[in-house]
Amino acid sequence: MKFRILYEDNHLLMVEKPVNVPVQLDESNDRDLLTILKEDIKIRYQKPGNVYLGLVHRLDRPVGGAMIFAKTSKAASRLSDTIRKNELTKTYLAVVRGVPKPTDHLVDFLYKDRQKNIVSVSSKKNKQAKKAMLDYQLLASDNGLSLVKINLLTGRSHQIRVQFASRGFPLYGDQKYGSKVNKPGQQIALWSHEVSFIHPVRKEETKVVSYPPTEYPWTNWEQFLE
């Protein structure tokens, strides 16, 4: 499986996750990115024994784009702490159906049914629901579709997909939360575009950028994706 390395040093490995590849082994038993990267490191650096690679954040299986992995336990621990403190900035690009407001701050309480793997907007009174927040900016609209840039403020499961769908703007190609308007086989238009943070060891600002593939519907707005 081909993947693109965005940044690598002795502490971190940042790659462009391919779409429809699970981040880690799941019930499908399909090849997962974490295992693939460990195998790649073992071969490239001729490492004996097991390779350590820490998973510090996740992307849904159908979503592609920038991801960070830690090559040492120290880096993993520090990155996890950075995420807990909301000091890691994650920016996404998405194509939604309809035309949302030019900018907005979305706040919801999301409940995850783990048996069905479905997330829904719930009441603040639900003790099992978690607060979810994001900011977005509308970049362009065309023919019933809109390109939005999202600053993810919390990392809840399926958060972007559920927050937009609950407001009547399901993501293009989202089979789980937009099945009434999306056709089977369409690829979800959600991309991890930019990740920035302070390097856990070097204490320098570190940023990687990844761009969606040159495929529909992204090709409607190539001028925004350069």
Side-chain angles (χ1 to χ4, degrees), residues 55-58 68 73-90 130-131 133 152-156 196-198 200:
L55 180 63
V56 295
H57 70 118
R58 290 169 172 77
I68 311 170
S73 58
K74 180 169 74 172
S77 176
R78 291 181 179 179
L79 275 175
S80 295
D81 191 50
T82 296
I83 292 171
R84 279 195 298 271
K85 293 177 180 177
N86 290 323
E87 294 173 348
L88 184 142
T89 301
K90 292 186 285 185
K130 295 182 178 180
K131 191 175 184 179
M133 300 184 294
L152 193 63
L153 302 176
T154 54
R156 308 307 181 197
S196 61
F197 55 96
I198 300 300

Side-chain angles (χ1 to χ4, degrees), residues 34 57 66 82 99 122 135 138 151 154 208 215 224:
L34 186 62
H57 70 118
T82 296
V99 184
S122 184
D135 294 324
L138 175 64
N151 180 20
T154 54
V208 290
E215 299 172 359
F224 291 97

Side-chain angles (χ1 to χ4, degrees), residues 48-70:
N50 295 327
V51 171
Y52 177 86
L53 195 63
L55 180 63
V56 295
H57 70 118
R58 290 169 172 77
L59 290 177
D60 293 346
R61 178 170 180 152
V63 179
M67 273 203 76
I68 311 170
F69 294 86

